[in-house]
Amino acid sequence: MFKVSKSPRPIDWTTKDYKDPVVVKQLKKDFHGKCYICEQKYFPNLNVEHFIPHLDDEKLRLDWDNLYYACSRCNSIKNKYHSDMLDCCKEDHLVEDWINVYYVNPDDDIQVVNTCPTNHAYYTKAESSKELIFKSFNNANSGIQEVSKEDLREKIIEVHNDFLKLRSKFLRKLDDWSDEKKIKKANDIKRRLKSHYAFSAVLRGYLEKDSKLKNALDDVEKL
């Protein structure tokens, strides 16, 4: 999950269709083209997802604040079963601090950890979010889910491997670069940890476990 600054309801949305092109285009912009649950980008099967399941409630169905950008895999897994979750559009729901994601190997489940304090008012929401995100990364309960999981995992592997290549070059060349170039290359790495980048939670989880890279980035930041 990642923080989203959602824009006001589009003034040119005048229909009663929550899939109206005006709606979809604005959601894509607000959510950086990412599914708000698994964080993949450039997925063909887009769903306008209702954060709170509308269950044929007209108000919820057309409530701009209830419309989210999601892939069909995550939307089908979430369905009506996960409604009490952290809301990535609310400032006090610290989704990037409380939901940690760890990818290790292609065949292993991606692990999701809830670090929200157990005595916090939002702990239950964070736990529900953790459970959904785990299912979104790992579920393969049908033929469709098996294929969509494989596709999603390949995208994660590609982004993860690109990050490792940046890491390798950064640490190998660090002593040869000018301070200006060190800062530029460090920013190239840190940019991938931000909300707009695909699978930013996975990359933040990797950096958390890589003290050598983290310390090197901290040293460059002091220049």
Side-chain angles (χ1 to χ4, degrees):
M1 266 187 169
F2 57 100
K3 292 300 293 181
V4 175
S5 297
K6 200 172 182 188
S7 60
R9 188 185 196 278
I11 58 174
D12 47 349
W13 177 25
T14 58
T15 69
K16 289 191 174 183
D17 180 8
Y18 65 84
K19 298 176 184 177
D20 188 297
V22 171
V23 173
V24 177
K25 288 176 183 177
Q26 189 60 55
L27 288 176
K28 182 178 181 180
K29 182 177 181 181
D30 289 351
F31 286 80
H32 310 295
K34 291 172 56 172
C35 171
Y36 83 100
I37 298 171
C38 72
E39 297 197 36
Q40 69 170 306
K41 269 190 169 186
Y42 311 120
F43 45 92
N45 298 315
L46 162 66
N47 282 190
V48 175
E49 207 270 321
H50 292 86
F51 186 75
I52 301 172
H54 63 79
L55 303 176
D56 294 327
D57 182 312
E58 183 79 357
K59 185 176 180 182
L60 281 176
R61 192 172 68 87
L62 297 175
D63 182 358
W64 169 250
D65 293 330
N66 197 36
L67 303 181
Y68 284 58
Y69 198 80
C71 69
S72 60
R73 172 181 170 83
C74 289
N75 190 30
S76 65
I77 291 172
K78 176 177 178 284
N79 205 308
K80 61 184 179 182
Y81 306 112
H82 294 270
S83 56
D84 187 28
M85 303 197 316
L86 293 175
D87 186 342
C88 60
C89 295
K90 291 185 177 177
E91 283 295 325
D92 60 340
H93 289 213
L94 306 181
V95 295
E96 293 185 3
D97 296 329
W98 292 338
I99 303 297
N100 296 341
V101 179
Y102 303 103
Y103 162 78
V104 181
N105 296 308
D107 289 340
D108 294 340
D109 280 349
I110 291 175
Q111 297 303 312
V112 184
V113 177
N114 170 17
T115 63
C116 179
T118 55
N119 61 347
H120 196 285
Y122 295 152
Y123 176 79
T124 301
K125 293 180 183 294
E127 191 66 12
S128 180
S129 300
K130 179 198 81 172
E131 292 170 2
L132 172 60
I133 294 168
F134 179 85
K135 291 176 185 176
S136 294
F137 282 132
N138 301 307
N139 267 21
N141 297 332
S142 68
I144 291 174
Q145 283 194 2
E146 284 185 14
V147 171
S148 62
K149 175 190 172 182
E150 287 176 4
D151 291 345
L152 179 61
R153 189 61 57 91
E154 286 301 316
K155 290 181 179 180
I156 292 170
I157 291 169
E158 182 178 357
V159 167
H160 184 261
N161 287 348
D162 286 346
F163 192 77
L164 291 184
K165 289 175 186 175
L166 283 177
R167 174 200 187 274
S168 178
K169 184 173 182 180
F170 180 75
L171 294 176
R172 190 174 68 251
K173 297 282 191 179
L174 200 54
D175 291 338
D176 300 331
W177 287 334
S178 65
D179 286 354
E180 182 180 0
K181 190 162 186 179
K182 288 177 185 177
I183 292 169
K184 180 181 182 300
K185 295 297 184 180
N187 287 338
D188 286 345
I189 291 174
K190 289 188 283 187
R191 181 172 60 87
R192 287 163 169 75
L193 309 175
K194 294 183 178 179
S195 296
H196 70 275
Y197 203 79
F199 307 117
S200 53
V202 172
L203 299 182
R204 289 195 303 272
Y206 172 82
L207 182 61
E208 179 189 331
K209 305 287 188 179
D210 187 345
S211 57
K212 184 173 183 178
L213 177 58
K214 189 160 49 174
N215 290 340
L217 291 172
D218 288 345
D219 288 342
V220 170
E221 195 165 346
K222 297 171 186 174
L223 295 176

